[in-house]
């Protein structure tokens, strides 16, 4: 599976969660964190998709995706540890940990792999 297949939906979920948190609790931190990180991930996913269309890998996008997911894992993991609340801290920490593992796997295996051309 290609990184952008998961990164773009992951970013959109974070954007939606940030907006939801802002409207539900008035949390500007939720809005800034969710929307900011989500937009960065959507942009990285888009860069990766465009590179894939040219049959190349965007290691820059993979690094950005990995760093964002790792930071979210740490920050939201700490918040979950302090509050013991599954939503949103535990959920975001768990998803972000899975995504961090996925991105590290993609880096270790050489990025996105391209289908062979058959004529």
């Amino acid at each position: 599976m290609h990184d952008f297949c998961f990164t773009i939906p992951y970013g959109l979920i974070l954007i939606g969660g940030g907006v939801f948190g802002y409207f539900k609790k008035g949390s500007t931190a939720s809005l800034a964190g969710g929307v900011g990180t989500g937009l960065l991930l959507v942009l990285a996913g888009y860069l990766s998709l465009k590179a894939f269309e040219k049959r190349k890998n965007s290691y820059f996008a993979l690094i950005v995706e990995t760093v964002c997911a790792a930071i979210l894992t740490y920050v939201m993991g700490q918040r979950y540890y302090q509050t013991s609340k599954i939503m949103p801290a535990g959920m975001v920490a768990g998803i972000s940990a899975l995504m961090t593992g996925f991105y590290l796997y993609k880096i270790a295996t050489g990025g996105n792999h391209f289908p062979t051309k058959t004529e």
Side-chain angles (χ1 to χ4, degrees), residues 95-114:
I95 292 170
S96 296
L98 290 172
M99 293 303 292
T100 301
F102 172 70
Y103 295 137
L104 290 172
Y105 168 78
K106 293 306 285 182
I107 291 169
T109 59
N112 294 318
H113 298 287
F114 309 100

Side-chain angles (χ1 to χ4, degrees), residues 6-19 34 37-39 41-42:
F6 292 111
T7 301
I8 294 171
Y10 174 45
L12 292 173
I13 288 168
L14 290 172
I15 291 169
V19 170
T37 308
L39 285 174
L41 283 164
V42 169

Side-chain angles (χ1 to χ4, degrees), residues 51 56-66 106-107 109-112:
K56 297 182 182 203
N57 274 304
S58 175
Y59 290 104
F60 173 75
L62 258 175
I63 296 298
V64 169
E65 294 162 355
T66 306
K106 293 306 285 182
I107 291 169
T109 59
N112 294 318

